Amino acid sequence: MLPITIVGLGSYLPARVVASAELEVALGLPPGWAEQTTGVRERRYAAGETSAGMAAEAARRALAAAGRDLGELDLIVGASSGPQQAIPCTAALVQRELGAPDGRSACFDVNATCLSFLFALQSAAHMVAAGAYSCALIVSSEIGTHSRNPAEPEGATLFGDAAAAAVITRTPQGEPGALQCAKFATYGSGAGLTSILGGGTLHHPNDPATTPEMNRFHMHGPGLLRLAARTLGPFLDAFFAEAGWAREEIDLLVPHQASRNGLGLLTARLGFRPEQVFLNLAERGNCIAASLPLALAEAAAQGRVGRGDRVVLLGTGAGMTIGAVGLTF
């Protein structure tokens, strides 16, 4: 157990709302296909925003909610699947975008695709609890425009753009906030089920053999669902045993908004009551790494979670990796 508290949450949504009906026309899909297949009615698309700019706006709102100023930040962690550019890390660009004092905060990025925020939260929690840093900002910002693959309509209609941020501090003596348990497991046999082949050393952007197709997102949805269905149950049993909690004791489960079928596993097969689970997939889509912190921020804004509540953040990411973090909020 790590004595840390999320003292502020913030989010940013691009202004452009894209309804599923609009995408169905653009992709030549039957009316109603997108929502029926993915569970997404509408999503936001960035229109001129940058990843760092979106992250900075979410960060400003998180800092305001926390009652903290920029001079108090001594750690900024970028937690996204898509960096704004290859070098430097997005966290450094966010520091500059915020106008945070030069040299006051250390900056680095974490990329674990959809689980980037959870890995960043675990990492920052250890450092803050140990006293290495006192006030950490985690930002997740995703713009998937150029990676959406029109040849795979399920993926092309599933994703949305968003940013979210959290401010982390050490919990004062006598207060309840804590990271109770964090657990991750990767099943490399599923590494080929989700991919963007380009952008790295294997298919470098400057290599003439690299094609535009290599820079688009590919997903084998049925294979992912089968692997998740097989592994999530035993994973969660182990997680709750380590946390010392029972499923029925959870005040709120905040899942990565992966897909309608994936979310359906939580109540149909994994033992959670519908009222325990926070969902925003229909209005936001799958916002990749921003999905989990965005859902947590919206749950808090709606009064679904309060101080002392038991909250579990749960998701899957490319790899395939499963992750869960239990918080006494």
Side-chain angles (χ1 to χ4, degrees), residues 117-136:
F117 179 80
L118 292 195
F119 275 106
L121 178 59
Q122 181 195 39
S123 301
H126 276 279
M127 290 186 280
V128 169
Y133 299 98
S134 61
C135 186

Side-chain angles (χ1 to χ4, degrees), residues 25-236:
V25 171
L27 296 171
L29 301 171
W33 185 93
E35 185 172 358
Q36 181 179 358
T37 303
T38 66
V40 182
R41 182 172 62 252
E42 63 182 41
R43 74 287 290 143
R44 303 296 181 98
Y45 279 4
E49 293 97 337
T50 65
S51 294
M54 289 170 50
E57 185 55 38
R60 292 185 188 100
R61 296 171 185 180
L63 286 164
R68 304 280 176 151
D69 61 48
L70 289 172
E72 294 179 78
L73 289 178
D74 53 5
L75 178 65
I76 301 174
V77 184
S80 303
S81 71
Q84 180 160 308
Q85 58 195 60
I87 296 174
C89 66
T90 302
L93 301 176
V94 172
Q95 184 200 61
R96 184 180 67 181
E97 190 88 21
L98 285 170
D102 265 0
R104 175 72 181 96
S105 52
C107 299
F108 68 90
D109 282 1
V110 171
N111 178 0
T113 63
C114 298
L115 292 180
S116 298
F117 179 80
L118 292 195
F119 275 106
L121 178 59
Q122 181 195 39
S123 301
H126 276 279
M127 290 186 280
V128 169
Y133 299 98
S134 61
C135 186
L137 171 69
I138 303 172
V139 289
S140 295
S141 183
E142 298 283 15
I143 299 175
T145 305
H146 300 295
S147 298
R148 296 185 184 102
N149 189 347
E152 297 181 7
E154 182 176 354
T157 58
L158 176 61
F159 294 99
D161 300 339
V167 179
I168 314 296
T169 63
R170 186 177 175 89
T171 304
Q173 190 74 26
E175 294 190 12
L179 191 155
Q180 184 76 21
C181 182
K183 184 175 180 62
F184 298 90
T186 298
Y187 303 84
S189 61
L193 295 173
T194 46
S195 66
I196 296 177
L197 297 177
T201 58
L202 183 62
H203 301 291
H204 193 276
N206 294 335
D207 186 340
T210 298
T211 66
E213 179 67 17
M214 293 174 179
N215 296 319
R216 295 192 176 110
F217 178 76
H218 296 275
M219 177 177 68
H220 190 277
L224 275 175
L225 190 63
R226 286 194 297 269
L227 183 55
R230 188 173 76 245
T231 55
L232 265 172
F235 175 88
L236 282 171

